[in-house]
Amino acid sequence: MSNTRASACDALVIGGGPAGAALGIALAQSGRAVKLLEQSPTAHNKVCGEFLSHEAIGYLESLRVSPRALGAVAIRGVRLHAHTRIATCELPFPALSLTRRALDEALLHAARREGVTVLRGQRVEGLTRTSDGWQARVVAGAVHAARDAFLATGKQDLSGYRRPTGKQNNLVGFKMYFRLAAAQLEALKGWVELFLFPGGYAGLQMVEGGQANLCLLVTREQFARCGGAWTALLEHMLQSSPPLRVWMDGAEPVLDRPLAVSSIPYGLLPAETTDGLWRLGDQAAVIPSFSGDGMSMALHSALLAAMMLARGATPAEFARVMRAQFQDSIQLATTVSRMLVSAPVVAQAARMWPGLLGRIAARTRVPTNALLTAHPLLRHNGAGLDG
Ligand SMILES: Cc1cc2nc3c(=O)[nH]c(=O)nc-3n(C[C@H](O)[C@H](O)[C@H](O)COP(=O)(O)OP(=O)(O)OC[C@H]3O[C@@H](n4cnc5c(N)ncnc54)[C@H](O)[C@@H]3O)c2cc1C
């Protein structure tokens, strides 16, 4: 295989999910020559609950990507079901629901618009440090060079850059779109239905186009007890959760088979780094999915990294600030996620104390004004950025 050396640029972004695309946009806006390498050749579905928090919406709008213009539907509350018990909570912030297929594509489109060189169908298989920066080698053999490199490969680890396992790492994630019967679809409008079942939890919410997204997490052990089969897992959930059975009555799957993801390092916090590589989004930190805050953290990490790079900070300083901002919310969310999987008393507690869901939601978010409040943290962590 012959290696083709591509021209060097200021910044190389590996991965074109929310973190990579947002970073590309921010760096291009500050005048940097950015190349973004994304393995998928075209728009595609991703395992995700597709809940866009208030903070994520704000970040997207600041990048001139409007979820509403893309057809996002409004979400105003969560209904938590454990067997037949139900707890209801209006969200303390407005939220939306939008397919990742639409969102991620719109972000990459916005990156191109801002001048980022977006290369699709480019799977990076190796990343090495050189005397004057970084080199990434893609599967087809081309080599791309840059002064700074940003790892934003999300759920997938790059060879040689494996993340630690996290604090809750025995879950498998699935996602399937369904066409619901008209009455169910009407009743679902505006709500995330969260169902607890032995060994896992599932969220159902409407997305654009009149479809519903059923996204769930289940322990590997429980999935094995279902014979490792999606149909048996679905039956297990329906048997354990009568409300879910009501929702799914007459539902028709839209995809040939569900999308799946495993080895998710939930609870991962930004670690001390010395290798000079910027790690963004899920490569930096992973908050349990029920919080619906993964995308806003990914977007935040990108904008924070761009801001810190512009002020001369290092990846190590960036990781320290990220850790200071997110360790409390990630630790709380991981504790709750463990309880959701193993002790459905959470639903009973939420029913007895109706404010609980709202409090958990409020305490697992990207802190308000986190980009602005990062400034004192930069100084505290020795980034020397008084300007
Ligand atoms: C089951 C589940 C449900 C979730 N639900 C929600 C939710 O409702 N709301 C929410 O906000 N968050 C949710 N999340 C979290 C959210 O999906 C992530 O936090 C978010 O996608 C992280 O963005 P990212 O850009 O870091 O990574 P990703 O979105 O994973 O993007 C990474 C990109 O890198 C590309 N890539 C990977 N490897 C390579 C390579 N070697 N070379 C080139 N390109 C590569 C991939 O194709 C991908 O496009 C959920 C996660 C899971 C697992």
Side-chain angles (χ1 to χ4, degrees):
M1 202 188 300
S2 70
N3 277 5
T4 317
R5 178 177 288 276
S7 60
C9 55
D10 296 334
L12 203 51
V13 184
I14 306 171
L23 176 82
I25 294 170
L27 292 182
Q29 284 174 343
S30 67
R32 286 192 158 75
V34 187
K35 198 179 276 179
L36 185 154
L37 306 171
E38 164 57 40
Q39 65 182 1
S40 64
T42 53
H44 61 290
N45 293 316
K46 285 185 173 175
V47 179
C48 187
E50 305 186 319
F51 174 89
L52 276 176
S53 69
H54 177 57
E55 297 79 13
I57 299 165
Y59 284 131
L60 290 168
E61 285 172 349
S62 77
L63 297 166
R64 296 204 292 136
V65 171
S66 163
R68 288 180 186 85
L70 294 166
V73 299
I75 299 286
R76 63 183 170 91
V78 180
R79 290 190 285 231
L80 176 65
H81 308 262
H83 196 62
T84 53
R85 284 189 297 267
I86 181 171
T88 301
C89 161
E90 297 270 337
L91 291 173
F93 44 78
L96 294 170
S97 175
L98 178 69
T99 58
R100 292 295 299 273
R101 193 186 174 86
L103 177 65
D104 288 26
E105 221 41 37
L107 276 164
L108 286 175
H109 181 76
R112 273 207 186 92
R113 193 177 59 210
E114 297 295 340
V116 177
T117 304
V118 176
L119 302 177
R120 303 293 298 259
Q122 304 284 313
R123 180 173 165 69
V124 173
E125 59 176 1
L127 181 67
T128 45
R129 188 123 199 219
T130 60
S131 56
D132 57 352
W134 293 86
Q135 278 190 351
R137 194 181 61 254
V138 299
V139 170
V143 176
H144 300 273
R147 195 174 56 232
D148 294 302
F150 298 84
L151 191 61
T153 53
K155 297 158 189 73
Q156 298 170 40
D157 288 336
L158 192 61
S159 165
Y161 297 90
R162 191 163 291 284
R163 292 166 297 173
T165 49
K167 296 272 166 22
Q168 189 189 26
N169 44 40
N170 66 335
L171 298 178
V172 186
F174 290 95
K175 168 173 132 178
M176 173 57 108
Y177 290 121
F178 287 93
R179 231 169 263 112
L180 300 188
Q184 273 92 329
L185 196 61
E186 191 53 36
L188 188 58
K189 263 186 198 159
W191 292 95
V192 176
E193 306 290 335
L194 197 57
F195 306 94
L196 306 189
F197 59 87
Y201 54 93
L204 183 73
Q205 69 185 53
M206 228 176 114
V207 290
E208 74 275 17
Q211 296 181 357
N213 172 350
L214 180 71
C215 188
L216 65 103
L217 286 157
V218 60
T219 60
R220 273 202 205 101
E221 300 73 28
Q222 182 58 54
F223 187 47
R225 280 195 284 277
C226 296
W230 163 248
T231 42
L233 173 60
L234 195 56
E235 190 47 40
H236 165 68
M237 294 191 302
L238 295 176
Q239 268 180 17
S240 333
S241 178
L244 179 58
R245 193 178 279 289
V246 173
W247 283 107
M248 298 307 287
D249 187 26
E252 285 173 21
V254 173
L255 308 175
D256 291 343
R257 53 177 180 276
L259 305 172
V261 62
S262 62
S263 309
I264 314 161
Y266 285 127
L268 178 77
L269 289 169
E272 284 288 323
T273 58
T274 50
D275 59 7
L277 179 64
W278 298 79
R279 290 170 173 80
L280 307 176
D282 278 6
Q283 281 293 309
V286 184
I287 191 161
S289 307
F290 80 88
S291 71
D293 222 26
M295 282 188 277
S296 61
M297 277 182 47
L299 293 164
H300 173 80
S301 71
L303 299 183
L304 180 66
M307 185 179 100
M308 291 187 67
L309 180 76
R311 289 161 184 259
T314 64
E317 289 159 348
F318 164 71
R320 248 175 268 142
V321 173
M322 281 283 291
R323 190 178 177 99
Q325 290 190 323
F326 290 109
Q327 67 181 357
D328 289 354
S329 53
I330 290 181
Q331 277 165 359
L332 172 67
T334 308
T335 303
V336 175
S337 177
R338 283 204 183 113
M339 288 164 76
L340 288 174
V341 167
S342 59
V345 289
V346 174
Q348 202 166 3
R351 196 160 152 258
M352 287 163 61
W353 185 20
L356 182 65
L357 283 177
R359 277 170 190 250
I360 291 172
R363 289 192 51 199
T364 54
R365 320 239 58 81
V366 171
T368 313
N369 294 330
L371 279 180
L372 296 177
T373 55
H375 211 195
L377 283 167
L378 303 185
R379 261 179 251 131
H380 177 74
N381 284 285
L385 304 172
D386 292 333

